[in-house]
Amino acid sequence: MINRVTIIGAGNLTSSLLTAIHRNRFSYKIDVIDTNKKKKFSLKKFNVNFFSSYTDVITKSNLIILMVKPNNYIEVIKEINPLLSEKMILVSFMAGIRCTSIKNKLSHDVPVVRCMTNITISDSEAHIFYHMKPFSKNIVGILNKFFDPFSKLKKCINEGDIDKITALYGSGPAYYVYFNKIIKDVFINMGYSEKDATIFTNDLMHGTSKIIKNNKNSDDIMSAIASKGGTTQAALTELKNNKVDSMILKAIKKAYKKSKNILKK
């Protein structure tokens, strides 16, 4: 049973996770550690304890969640290592850092679970993908109980799948926002005010996401919108002729490659 949680790192994903947790009633204590003292002010609304140094409060936690930047992980592990024990569960949301890379730097045999999600978890919309080796049904049961009020766990048998999920799912919201910005800029380019462009573009994205959710076949949706020889078909043909799908595939594969080699410049 989880009665105290320590989250290390107070970035955007931490805020998204805390938003989801805060929406649901929780009985456990939450401590957040970040060396940037200014982060304290953005976390006040979540009713958590904030620390700017690695204190022994970590020793009181059952669950340690790592949400720091990958390039800082060695320093962070070095700081928290003396405070960890085998009775804890260490969950890492760090992109590209393998379980063995963390375990090899620990003095105790602490269970390590590598996870990935995205910022839509703030609205309880995102899955949490995980990989654990050796697998422990008991630990997964504990994590499932913790995350279940606002997310669903999805097992990745191979750790390499987490790298794929990082590129596809972890980074995914950015791709949608990027396309949203493109459409918004086109509205403005065609004479609409920025205010109206924002409203209309957001309506498009929000409304279309609902249609996609209710109709899983994207080809059926496009066929319903695009009449042969019509305006929509003209735009879609232009996108296909410019191989936009290939460009997106190439971009995501770049992200996947980076996830596998996150510390290489």
Side-chain angles (χ1 to χ4, degrees), residues 51-62:
F51 301 90
S52 58
S53 61
Y54 300 99
T55 69
D56 61 1
V57 70
I58 293 175
T59 63
K60 302 174 184 177
S61 295
N62 311 95

Side-chain angles (χ1 to χ4, degrees), residues 174-192:
Y175 310 147
Y176 279 82
V177 173
Y178 184 74
F179 186 73
N180 180 287
K181 184 179 184 302
I182 291 172
I183 297 298
K184 175 186 170 183
D185 289 344
V186 172
F187 264 109
I188 294 172
N189 181 266
M190 296 182 75
Y192 292 86

Side-chain angles (χ1 to χ4, degrees), residues 7 14-23 30 32 43 46 48:
I7 302 175
T14 294
S15 293
S16 296
L17 179 62
L18 288 174
T19 299
I21 292 173
H22 195 256
R23 187 181 296 112
I30 300 177
V32 178
L43 300 179
F46 298 121
V48 298

